[in-house]
């Protein structure tokens, strides 16, 4: 099993965020070092199109590889790695998730032990502040654990005040090679374009995503406020 951390330098909401520092280390390096602690992975690497990020990887002795600058998503970058690095399962761990834990990796690895699962990901109970936060993606699933929908909106809608449980999606995925190849063969979907959530391309084309639940939250760094929040949490 190979874990790939897609890391591009340009970001609309937080410029050059992969090189923003937390505890004296660039964001991408924090994520790499956290994932490397898992004994369940055969290989971990950062996939980037930035020479500056490559320089940071070399400085901190992180395994990294240059990939095409034409990729529009992290999944496309992981797919490029899959063309030359053989594995049963490829993990896509977002480079802006420095609070990923070995427990997250373990949950996802166990989920993918079922050969009928083409794509896997994680959810955790959403905090009150994340329920209405568009930067915290919400997910609803059916009784078998298959995702029904991902959204930046608050789903499900609590029409009658029944107080449903809300789940936040964590930015880590596992793919089999066939699912990655299938993703690349499909055009950008309308839901993917509307929400700016690439996982919706799978759902809109009938490729199931299975979800495991974890009690451990993680914070994706999308804004300056997220960065400050993570810095404070990790400094403790």
């Amino acid at each position: 099993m190979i874990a790939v951390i897609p890391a591009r330098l340009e970001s609309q909401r937080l410029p050059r965020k992969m090189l923003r520092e937390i505890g004296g280390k660039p964001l991408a390096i924090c994520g790499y070092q956290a994932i490397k602690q898992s004994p369940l992975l055969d290989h971990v690497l950062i996939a980037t199109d930035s020479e500056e990020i490559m320089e940071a990887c070399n400085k901190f002795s992180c395994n990294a590889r240059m990939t095409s600058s034409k990729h529009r998503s992290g999944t496309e970058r992981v797919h490029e790695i899959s063309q030359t690095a053989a594995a049963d399962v490829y993990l896509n761990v977002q480079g802006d998730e420095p609070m990923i834990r070995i427990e997250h990796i373990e949950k996802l690895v166990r989920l993918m032990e079922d050969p009928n699962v083409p794509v896997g990901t994680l959810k955790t109970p959403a905090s009150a502040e994340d329920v209405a936060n568009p930067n915290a993606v919400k997910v609803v699933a059916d009784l078998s654990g298959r995702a029904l929908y991902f959204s930046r909106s608050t789903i499900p809608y609590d029409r009658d005040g029944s107080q449903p449980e809300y789940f936040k999606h964590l930015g880590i995925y596992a793919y089999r090679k066939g699912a990655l190849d299938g993703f690349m063969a499909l055009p950008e979907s309308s839901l993917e374009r509307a929400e700016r959530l690439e996982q919706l391309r799978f759902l809109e084309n009938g490729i199931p995503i299975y979800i495991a639940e974890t009690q451990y939250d993680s914070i994706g760094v999308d804004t300056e406020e997220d960065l400050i929040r993570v810095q404070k949490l990790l400094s403790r």
Side-chain angles (χ1 to χ4, degrees):
M1 185 173 292
I2 295 176
V4 182
I5 303 172
R8 64 187 183 93
L9 189 56
E10 300 306 320
S11 175
Q12 293 181 344
R13 286 176 287 181
L14 184 61
R16 298 172 59 81
K17 72 175 179 179
M18 289 302 172
L19 293 179
R20 298 293 296 273
E21 292 193 353
I22 295 178
K25 299 175 184 177
L27 183 59
I29 305 302
C30 293
Y32 178 93
Q33 292 179 343
I35 297 162
K36 281 284 288 184
Q37 295 181 46
S38 172
L40 301 176
L41 300 173
D42 300 310
H43 198 42
V44 180
L45 64 88
I46 293 175
T48 185
D49 59 359
S50 164
E51 292 289 352
E52 288 185 72
I53 292 177
M54 280 295 293
E55 290 175 9
C57 291
N58 292 333
K59 178 181 177 181
F60 288 92
S61 301
C62 298
N63 186 22
R65 188 178 299 182
M66 288 293 292
T67 50
S68 172
S69 61
K70 297 180 180 179
H71 295 317
R72 297 171 298 171
S73 70
T75 307
E76 292 181 5
R77 211 169 294 281
V78 174
H79 181 261
E80 180 179 337
I81 297 297
S82 76
Q83 299 304 98
T84 55
D88 294 330
V89 175
Y90 297 87
L91 265 62
N92 175 358
V93 185
Q94 305 302 311
D96 57 8
E97 293 271 359
M99 296 183 68
I100 287 293
R101 303 166 58 109
I102 57 175
E103 290 89 350
H104 293 138
I105 303 295
E106 182 178 4
K107 278 280 186 178
L108 205 48
V109 169
R110 300 301 174 228
L111 179 64
M112 298 305 291
E113 288 178 348
D114 183 345
N116 296 313
V117 175
V119 183
T121 191
L122 299 178
K123 68 177 182 180
T124 192
S127 66
E129 63 185 314
D130 281 335
V131 170
N133 179 6
N135 292 320
V137 176
K138 273 66 67 177
V139 60
V140 291
D142 69 13
L143 295 178
S144 67
R146 293 189 303 181
L148 293 172
Y149 195 62
F150 298 85
S151 182
R152 298 185 184 279
S153 297
T154 301
I155 54 173
Y157 176 68
D158 187 12
R159 192 189 74 167
D160 298 320
S162 60
Q163 298 182 332
E165 186 171 13
Y166 295 98
F167 287 97
K168 173 185 170 184
H169 174 234
L170 301 186
I172 176 171
Y173 302 88
Y175 314 107
R176 299 197 188 280
K177 182 63 163 57
L180 270 177
D181 291 340
F183 179 90
M184 291 298 296
L186 295 167
E188 182 183 53
S189 73
S190 60
L191 294 176
E192 174 188 8
R193 190 179 309 113
E195 297 258 16
R196 300 315 307 165
L197 297 174
E198 60 184 329
Q199 64 267 38
L200 292 175
R201 189 185 310 183
F202 287 110
L203 297 190
E204 201 165 358
N205 286 279
I207 301 172
I209 299 176
Y210 286 81
I211 305 176
E213 183 177 346
T214 175
Q215 62 177 310
Y216 298 107
D217 195 3
S218 179
I219 299 174
V221 177
D222 292 307
T223 65
E224 194 75 39
E225 291 73 20
D226 294 333
L227 184 66
I228 294 171
R229 183 182 172 194
V230 170
Q231 287 172 331
K232 288 180 179 179
L233 287 170
L234 292 182
S235 68
R236 297 173 187 171

mmCIF file of all heavy atoms in Angstrom, residues 7 10 29 59 63 75 90 142 145 163 168 176 184 187 197 213:
data_model
loop_
_atom_site.group_PDB
_atom_site.id
_atom_site.type_symbol
_atom_site.label_atom_id
_atom_site.label_comp_id
_atom_site.label_asym_id
_atom_site.label_seq_id
_atom_site.Cartn_x
_atom_site.Cartn_y
_atom_site.Cartn_z
ATOM 1 N N ALA A 7 0.831 17.689 -3.504
ATOM 2 C CA ALA A 7 1.182 19.001 -2.930
ATOM 3 C C ALA A 7 1.526 19.980 -4.047
ATOM 4 O O ALA A 7 2.598 19.912 -4.632
ATOM 5 C CB ALA A 7 2.366 18.851 -1.964
ATOM 6 N N GLU A 10 0.375 26.510 -5.543
ATOM 7 C CA GLU A 10 -0.642 27.551 -5.674
ATOM 8 C C GLU A 10 -1.937 27.119 -4.988
ATOM 9 O O GLU A 10 -2.374 25.987 -5.108
ATOM 10 C CB GLU A 10 -0.903 27.851 -7.151
ATOM 11 C CG GLU A 10 0.335 28.338 -7.895
ATOM 12 C CD GLU A 10 0.995 29.533 -7.232
ATOM 13 O OE1 GLU A 10 0.267 30.429 -6.751
ATOM 14 O OE2 GLU A 10 2.232 29.576 -7.169
ATOM 15 N N ILE A 29 5.347 18.971 4.886
ATOM 16 C CA ILE A 29 6.283 18.119 5.626
ATOM 17 C C ILE A 29 5.627 17.593 6.895
ATOM 18 O O ILE A 29 5.839 16.438 7.282
ATOM 19 C CB ILE A 29 7.566 18.901 5.973
ATOM 20 C CG1 ILE A 29 8.190 19.493 4.701
ATOM 21 C CG2 ILE A 29 8.543 18.007 6.703
ATOM 22 C CD1 ILE A 29 8.536 18.483 3.632
ATOM 23 N N LYS A 59 15.317 19.006 2.057
ATOM 24 C CA LYS A 59 15.837 19.550 3.316
ATOM 25 C C LYS A 59 15.433 18.692 4.499
ATOM 26 O O LYS A 59 16.234 18.471 5.430
ATOM 27 C CB LYS A 59 15.330 20.981 3.508
ATOM 28 C CG LYS A 59 15.778 21.624 4.810
ATOM 29 C CD LYS A 59 15.224 23.033 4.956
ATOM 30 C CE LYS A 59 15.617 23.659 6.284
ATOM 31 N NZ LYS A 59 15.055 25.020 6.440
ATOM 32 N N ASN A 63 10.702 11.607 1.023
ATOM 33 C CA ASN A 63 10.626 11.019 -0.304
ATOM 34 C C ASN A 63 9.627 11.809 -1.151
ATOM 35 O O ASN A 63 8.481 11.995 -0.742
ATOM 36 C CB ASN A 63 10.188 9.559 -0.192
ATOM 37 C CG ASN A 63 10.217 8.831 -1.524
ATOM 38 O OD1 ASN A 63 10.914 9.241 -2.433
ATOM 39 N ND2 ASN A 63 9.440 7.770 -1.622
ATOM 40 N N THR A 75 -6.278 13.716 -7.073
ATOM 41 C CA THR A 75 -6.500 12.362 -7.579
ATOM 42 C C THR A 75 -5.740 12.136 -8.881
ATOM 43 O O THR A 75 -5.178 11.060 -9.108
ATOM 44 C CB THR A 75 -7.995 12.101 -7.794
ATOM 45 O OG1 THR A 75 -8.703 12.417 -6.587
ATOM 46 C CG2 THR A 75 -8.257 10.651 -8.155
ATOM 47 N N TYR A 90 -3.876 2.576 -3.282
ATOM 48 C CA TYR A 90 -3.189 3.862 -3.203
ATOM 49 C C TYR A 90 -3.959 4.773 -2.259
ATOM 50 O O TYR A 90 -5.161 4.977 -2.428
ATOM 51 C CB TYR A 90 -3.094 4.513 -4.586
ATOM 52 C CG TYR A 90 -2.290 3.707 -5.567
ATOM 53 C CD1 TYR A 90 -2.903 2.704 -6.336
ATOM 54 C CD2 TYR A 90 -0.925 3.911 -5.732
ATOM 55 C CE1 TYR A 90 -2.170 1.936 -7.228
ATOM 56 C CE2 TYR A 90 -0.184 3.149 -6.625
ATOM 57 C CZ TYR A 90 -0.809 2.172 -7.367
ATOM 58 O OH TYR A 90 -0.080 1.412 -8.252
ATOM 59 N N ASP A 142 -25.476 5.549 3.296
ATOM 60 C CA ASP A 142 -26.578 4.605 3.494
ATOM 61 C C ASP A 142 -26.221 3.624 4.610
ATOM 62 O O ASP A 142 -25.142 3.700 5.215
ATOM 63 C CB ASP A 142 -26.943 3.909 2.179
ATOM 64 C CG ASP A 142 -25.862 2.947 1.679
ATOM 65 O OD1 ASP A 142 -24.932 2.606 2.448
ATOM 66 O OD2 ASP A 142 -25.954 2.521 0.508
ATOM 67 N N GLY A 145 -22.909 1.758 4.577
ATOM 68 C CA GLY A 145 -21.665 2.521 4.642
ATOM 69 C C GLY A 145 -21.244 3.150 3.338
ATOM 70 O O GLY A 145 -20.137 3.700 3.244
ATOM 71 N N GLN A 163 -32.842 17.221 15.033
ATOM 72 C CA GLN A 163 -31.436 17.188 15.442
ATOM 73 C C GLN A 163 -30.715 15.924 14.970
ATOM 74 O O GLN A 163 -30.276 15.093 15.773
ATOM 75 C CB GLN A 163 -31.322 17.326 16.961
ATOM 76 C CG GLN A 163 -31.874 18.647 17.486
ATOM 77 C CD GLN A 163 -31.714 18.804 18.990
ATOM 78 O OE1 GLN A 163 -31.681 17.829 19.730
ATOM 79 N NE2 GLN A 163 -31.614 20.034 19.449
ATOM 80 N N LYS A 168 -18.667 14.909 9.364
ATOM 81 C CA LYS A 168 -17.677 15.649 8.582
ATOM 82 C C LYS A 168 -16.808 14.657 7.807
ATOM 83 O O LYS A 168 -16.421 13.611 8.334
ATOM 84 C CB LYS A 168 -16.810 16.481 9.532
ATOM 85 C CG LYS A 168 -15.624 17.169 8.892
ATOM 86 C CD LYS A 168 -14.793 17.853 9.970
ATOM 87 C CE LYS A 168 -13.478 18.359 9.448
ATOM 88 N NZ LYS A 168 -12.646 18.934 10.528
ATOM 89 N N ARG A 176 -8.427 1.624 -5.392
ATOM 90 C CA ARG A 176 -7.820 0.537 -6.154
ATOM 91 C C ARG A 176 -7.439 1.092 -7.533
ATOM 92 O O ARG A 176 -7.995 2.099 -7.981
ATOM 93 C CB ARG A 176 -8.792 -0.634 -6.289
ATOM 94 C CG ARG A 176 -9.168 -1.203 -4.924
ATOM 95 C CD ARG A 176 -9.779 -2.583 -4.975
ATOM 96 N NE ARG A 176 -10.261 -2.926 -3.641
ATOM 97 C CZ ARG A 176 -9.490 -3.376 -2.649
ATOM 98 N NH1 ARG A 176 -8.194 -3.585 -2.858
ATOM 99 N NH2 ARG A 176 -10.003 -3.630 -1.455
ATOM 100 N N MET A 184 -9.970 8.807 -14.170
ATOM 101 C CA MET A 184 -9.252 9.569 -15.187
ATOM 102 C C MET A 184 -9.945 9.509 -16.543
ATOM 103 O O MET A 184 -9.794 10.418 -17.367
ATOM 104 C CB MET A 184 -7.826 9.041 -15.315
ATOM 105 C CG MET A 184 -6.963 9.327 -14.094
ATOM 106 S SD MET A 184 -6.741 11.104 -13.783
ATOM 107 C CE MET A 184 -5.855 11.591 -15.261
ATOM 108 N N PRO A 187 -15.075 12.606 -17.611
ATOM 109 C CA PRO A 187 -14.982 14.067 -17.601
ATOM 110 C C PRO A 187 -15.392 14.629 -16.247
ATOM 111 O O PRO A 187 -16.049 13.940 -15.456
ATOM 112 C CB PRO A 187 -15.963 14.496 -18.693
ATOM 113 C CG PRO A 187 -16.994 13.411 -18.700
ATOM 114 C CD PRO A 187 -16.238 12.137 -18.403
ATOM 115 N N LEU A 197 -15.734 19.512 -5.382
ATOM 116 C CA LEU A 197 -15.398 18.298 -4.644
ATOM 117 C C LEU A 197 -15.207 17.174 -5.644
ATOM 118 O O LEU A 197 -16.173 16.684 -6.234
ATOM 119 C CB LEU A 197 -16.510 17.939 -3.647
ATOM 120 C CG LEU A 197 -16.780 18.947 -2.523
ATOM 121 C CD1 LEU A 197 -17.993 18.517 -1.705
ATOM 122 C CD2 LEU A 197 -15.559 19.105 -1.624
ATOM 123 N N GLU A 213 -15.988 5.092 9.918
ATOM 124 C CA GLU A 213 -16.125 6.175 10.894
ATOM 125 C C GLU A 213 -14.966 6.141 11.886
ATOM 126 O O GLU A 213 -14.539 5.078 12.328
ATOM 127 C CB GLU A 213 -17.441 6.054 11.642
ATOM 128 C CG GLU A 213 -17.679 7.189 12.635
ATOM 129 C CD GLU A 213 -19.027 7.114 13.332
ATOM 130 O OE1 GLU A 213 -19.893 6.346 12.872
ATOM 131 O OE2 GLU A 213 -19.195 7.805 14.362
#
